[in-house]
Amino acid sequence: MASSLSYAAAISRPPSSPSPNLRTLFPSGIGSRASNPISHTNRFLRFGVKCSYADAGIKDTNSRTIDVEADIKAERLVVLGGSGFVGSAICKAAVSRGIEVISLSRSGRPTSLNSWEDQVTWITGDVFYVNWDEVLPGATAVISTLGGFGSEEQMQRINGEANIISVTAAKEYGIPKFILISVHDYNIPSFLLTSGYFTGKRKAESEVLSKYPSSGVILRPGFIYGKRKVGNYEIPLDLIGEPVERLLNATASFTKPLNALPASDLILAPPVSVDDVALAAVNAAKDDDCFGVFTINQIKEAASGAKV
């Protein structure tokens, strides 16, 4: 049987290839302004396929045309804190995979001159005051990198309240996935984790897992290394993090018996590359079967699978 295909409309870009399965068992008024216009409707790529066929050797006089239409949802990722150390790595990783990216942060577009930044829509704003109508409509996932240090009140507000507000907004706008960059507990007993940094993050985690029980993702990295820009200076955290990670990985079989000791991970938890965190986050956003809490090792495994 001979066949021929003709396309009624072109697709603006090919759909992204399926990401590796990252399924993890579920353990335990600052206004905003966009540098580029944003469509406020859910975006779909529509195309039609016309197919005609005839048996080989027979003149195709009575062949029929079949019209097929399919809706392919274009991926649109919102990164909260996208101009920061982890956030910018996530934006870069997403753009490299053909995903549309919107960043919301108080500082707006970074001052660096990297070419990939031109492909990101940078919005200057604060999650406490932003008009979400200008950020969330049409998004397929939200990744939050919000967090920081300061006074107890400031840490509760930044690590906890800011993320909780964001989760609530994403749910109200019908965003199907939410990924939170949280923090490893370093094997410290919960009654000792009284710092606003940890308690704020854990409150945010509970909100994600409550509102997104089958699609929410929590990444819990430890020390994240890479080249971190602070003002006009670049801090090469990889000069410390990378060799320490290699050392701890090489000695893991010897130090494993110590892992059960309280607070042992303050020394034994391996650092994580910022690129690995970014890859794990982006692929979690793309994979509908990915949900739950990711440990340090699971983050690395997810990133390793994404590189293949």
Side-chain angles (χ1 to χ4, degrees):
M1 179 174 291
S3 63
S4 63
L5 294 176
S6 61
Y7 292 85
I11 303 176
S12 60
R13 66 169 181 255
S16 301
S17 58
S19 61
N21 186 359
L22 307 185
R23 177 182 290 276
T24 300
L25 295 179
F26 183 38
S28 7
I30 299 179
S32 61
R33 56 180 175 81
S35 57
N36 295 306
I38 303 173
S39 171
H40 291 177
T41 58
N42 289 325
R43 299 169 66 252
F44 291 85
L45 298 178
R46 180 182 293 273
F47 68 94
V49 179
K50 293 183 179 181
C51 177
S52 61
Y53 60 91
D55 290 333
I58 300 177
K59 187 177 181 181
D60 185 10
T61 57
N62 297 316
S63 62
R64 292 180 296 175
T65 299
I66 302 173
D67 290 330
V68 179
E69 286 191 346
D71 286 331
I72 301 177
K73 195 168 187 179
E75 291 176 303
R76 173 184 280 177
L77 182 62
V78 173
V79 181
L80 304 179
S83 57
F85 175 49
V86 177
S88 60
I90 292 173
C91 291
K92 181 179 179 180
V95 163
S96 69
R97 282 156 178 75
I99 301 174
E100 180 183 356
V101 179
I102 300 167
S103 165
L104 172 66
S105 65
R106 288 183 295 179
S107 57
R109 177 168 179 157
T111 56
S112 55
L113 301 175
N114 297 310
S115 60
W116 63 265
E117 293 171 5
D118 295 332
Q119 301 177 59
V120 176
T121 298
W122 302 96
I123 300 178
T124 303
D126 190 310
V127 296
F128 289 103
Y129 312 108
V130 71
N131 178 3
W132 291 109
D133 283 338
E134 299 180 6
V135 180
L136 293 178
T140 53
V142 174
I143 299 179
S144 176
T145 68
L146 301 177
F149 294 95
S151 68
E152 190 69 17
E153 182 180 355
Q154 288 173 327
M155 289 190 291
Q156 287 284 359
R157 181 173 172 83
I158 297 172
N159 299 288
E161 295 172 23
N163 281 307
I164 291 172
I165 287 175
S166 303
V167 175
T168 301
K171 189 65 177 179
E172 290 177 350
Y173 278 78
I175 312 304
K177 295 215 69 169
F178 196 102
I179 296 92
L180 173 69
I181 310 300
S182 189
V183 61
H184 183 55
D185 60 13
Y186 294 97
N187 207 22
I188 299 174
S190 58
F191 67 88
L192 293 177
L193 290 176
T194 58
S195 165
Y197 184 84
F198 288 98
T199 57
K201 288 285 190 180
R202 292 300 178 259
K203 288 178 182 178
E205 288 184 7
S206 296
E207 193 72 10
V208 172
L209 298 177
S210 173
K211 286 187 165 57
Y212 290 89
S214 59
S215 62
V217 177
I218 309 294
L219 301 185
R220 288 182 175 178
F223 174 71
I224 302 175
Y225 68 85
K227 289 180 171 55
R228 182 166 192 162
K229 290 188 176 181
V230 179
N232 295 324
Y233 299 96
E234 185 176 80
I235 303 175
L237 297 176
D238 50 333
L239 294 181
I240 300 173
E242 192 169 355
V244 171
E245 180 183 18
R246 290 177 179 174
L247 174 63
L248 290 174
N249 288 339
T251 59
S253 59
F254 301 101
T255 59
K256 188 174 182 180
L258 302 176
N259 291 341
L261 297 176
S264 59
D265 278 358
L266 288 172
I267 298 174
L268 301 178
V272 186
S273 163
V274 68
D275 293 329
D276 283 350
V277 175
L279 283 173
V282 171
N283 281 278
K286 290 163 58 68
D287 191 344
D288 293 335
D289 293 327
C290 175
F291 65 95
V293 180
F294 280 63
T295 64
I296 294 175
N297 288 333
Q298 289 169 331
I299 291 172
K300 293 182 179 182
E301 289 172 4
S304 179
K307 295 174 183 176
V308 176

